Amino acid sequence: MPRKKHTARITGVADTAMGELPGSTALGLHAEATNAALKDAGLKAQDIDGVLCGYSMTVPHLMLSSVFSEYYGISPSFNTAIQAGGATACIMLANAVALVESGACRHVLCVTGDNRLTGMTRDGAVAALATVGHPEFEQPYGMSVPASYALVAQAYLHRYGITRDELSAIAVSARKHAALHPKATKRDPLTLTEVSESRVIASPLRLLDCCLISDGGAAVIVSAADAARDTRNPVRVLGSGQGHTHEHIMAAPSLTDFGCKASSAMAFAQAGVTAQDIDVAEIYDSFTITLLAELESIGFFEKGEAGKAALAGELSQGGRLPTNTHGGLMSYGHSGAAGGAFHIVEAVHQLRGEADARQVPGAQLSFVHGDGGILSAHCSLVLGKD
Amino acid sequence: MDLPIPRPNADTRPYWDAAQQDRLVLQHCADCGAPQAIPRSYCGTCHSADLTWRESSGTGKIASFSVVHRAPTKAFRDQLPYVLALVDMAEGVRLMLNVIGEDRLDTQIGDPVRVVFEPRGADGFKMPQVQRSPA
Ligand SMILES: [Zn+2]
């Protein structure tokens, strides 16, 4: 049965400064992003009646949304936290859409932020992330998040004959975009050779196949259709979908096809569009292999073709599918749950025509995707110009 | 720093108890017959609580692997580089194990492997691992 059409609008988006932010705190970043998103929407704090938070590694808490609402000084009528790793931001947005379309809320604030670079050690962050592994059947074997994605990469390379340069091209393409974004963490030019000669983290993945660890925050405000009328520049949510096949990589039903296939099919069907209609894509890219596998599993490219497309410039400005136009998690920044929110912020900027030097001309439709765990939890969104 | 020792719970204890006796046992559903890798109170295929433990053949094939050069914790730093692998056991379940042995760095996808038990820590807690088996 076809799902009802969405009516919700994204009315405010913002992210904070990015990278190494000494003196920042996780909750301070939440508040900074909230103020900026309210300003972006033309709304006031008292207009917000729903709050969705994610999670923070520097402030691990059972009730992060209550902690945030107290810190910021609001008393929403709906308040909860959502934890789905890198899919958190997209799943928060999908929940916010359901809340405003059901009539439970008028304006829902989705807010995330973490100071995981300056608020903890790099070793501490790597160790904390590895807890997505099974405590008895994965972690005692030295599982890490990069090593788990490496297991996917190895299987993928083996099955489809992907070359080193094809994988590297994913990172190079992101860096080219980051160079156009004044807030991006890594803006220096990057070559295929630099990626292929960076040190091995977990074969076949090298340092420059991996995302950054950054301080940063982001907020997205989702509003009911009628409540969006007097906001500055709303964007439509046209489709949403999720796919959940496993948590632990040892339990994944496939190492080459993932829940993004189902989640994107749902989102496209609801929006009444296909992958070929998308003008600009903002897709979770924790590692080069993450984006490559997702682009192919979603159906933007045939199996084994996404890396070749990246090498040919198809993911860049002017290419077939400009992807991660802000630079993504590998070059823009990655602050945990906020990392996936940066993709949403960028998609909205693109659809509003506010993406400055990195604007995809005439962008009408954007696809946004988040992935949590080891390609475990997936959420896809189709956004469109209002 | 010592490598982590699994802390069995009611679901998983028979697996680890068997490993201490150099035996690999796997859970099978008495209702639908499905085997499962991570032990549970219920079958992950048909949700039945009627589960039995069976001896594994101890043989499998490498589904994927990575030679790890960046350790997740201090304890694993002394082990670098180590081989993390997904092993498809003959019974039809996939386990995450380390490939150990002198030729571990030669591991390739599809390699036949057999389970061995490697003692860990002061009390010699035995961990199922795999070694590449000669063709
Ligand atoms: Zn069963």
Side-chain angles (χ1 to χ4, degrees), chain A residues 3-169:
Chain A
R3 289 155 74 216
K4 272 201 319 196
K5 295 280 176 205
H6 279 317
T7 57
R9 299 321 199 250
I10 297 175
T11 52
V13 293
D15 54 14
T16 65
M18 194 63 45
E20 190 173 351
L21 307 173
S24 66
T25 63
L27 290 164
L29 291 164
H30 279 71
E32 182 185 340
T34 298
N35 277 338
L38 284 168
K39 186 172 174 217
D40 181 63
L43 293 169
K44 293 187 170 50
Q46 52 269 35
D47 295 324
I48 298 297
D49 55 2
V51 172
L52 299 176
C53 285
Y55 59 93
S56 157
M57 289 191 342
T58 57
V59 186
H61 200 284
L62 296 177
M63 302 170 64
L64 189 64
S65 57
S66 300
V67 172
F68 165 72
S69 292
E70 176 198 294
Y71 181 99
Y72 188 65
I74 47 175
S75 303
S77 52
F78 191 102
N79 196 21
T80 196
I82 287 171
Q83 300 194 29
T88 300
C90 286
I91 291 183
M92 284 162 77
L93 195 144
N95 276 271
V97 166
L99 284 169
V100 299
E101 292 182 357
S102 73
C105 295
R106 303 268 297 159
H107 298 286
V108 178
L109 169 71
C110 306
V111 59
T112 64
D114 220 348
N115 58 331
R116 58 167 65 176
L117 180 58
T118 61
M120 60 201 304
T121 63
R122 191 170 292 270
D123 282 349
V126 169
L129 289 166
T131 60
V132 301
H134 194 287
E136 291 178 59
F137 293 90
E138 294 187 328
Q139 290 181 50
Y141 289 100
M143 170 273 182
S144 67
V145 172
S148 298
Y149 276 90
L151 293 169
V152 173
Q154 196 81 264
Y156 219 95
L157 268 56
H158 178 80
R159 178 149 174 200
Y160 297 109
I162 312 291
T163 66
R164 177 64 251 180
D165 276 357
E166 288 169 24
L167 207 54
S168 302

Side-chain angles (χ1 to χ4, degrees), chain B residues 13-54:
Chain B
R13 191 160 290 116
Y15 178 93
W16 293 114
D17 283 352
Q20 304 321 302
Q21 304 164 353
D22 293 343
R23 295 164 50 230
L24 184 75
V25 296
L26 295 170
Q27 243 181 352
H28 294 255
C29 177
D31 279 334
C32 78
Q36 56 191 14
I38 301 174
R40 294 160 237 186
S41 309
Y42 292 87
C43 168
T45 300
C46 76
H47 324 299
S48 163
D50 196 358
L51 297 162
T52 58
W53 291 94
R54 285 191 217 155

Side-chain angles (χ1 to χ4, degrees), chain A residues 122-123 126-128 130 134-144 146-148 150-156 158 199-205 248-255, chain B residues 3-9 12-13 15-16 37-39 63-74 76-77 82-86 94-98 109 120 127-129:
Chain A
R122 191 170 292 270
D123 282 349
V126 169
H134 194 287
E136 291 178 59
F137 293 90
E138 294 187 328
Q139 290 181 50
Y141 289 100
M143 170 273 182
S144 67
S148 298
L151 293 169
V152 173
Q154 196 81 264
Y156 219 95
H158 178 80
R199 69 187 165 88
V200 178
I201 299 294
S203 74
L205 297 180
H248 307 106
I249 189 61
M250 66 180 282
S254 164
L255 292 176
Chain B
L3 290 172
I5 306 285
R7 297 172 61 182
N9 63 26
T12 63
R13 191 160 290 116
Y15 178 93
W16 293 114
I38 301 174
S64 193
F65 72 98
S66 173
V67 181
V68 180
H69 290 265
R70 210 287 187 203
T73 60
K74 276 197 185 110
F76 282 98
R77 238 174 253 168
Y82 58 89
V83 180
L84 185 73
L86 291 173
R94 179 171 286 172
L95 295 174
M96 180 179 279
L97 301 165
N98 298 125
I109 289 177
R120 176 178 289 192
M127 301 283 294
Q129 299 284 25

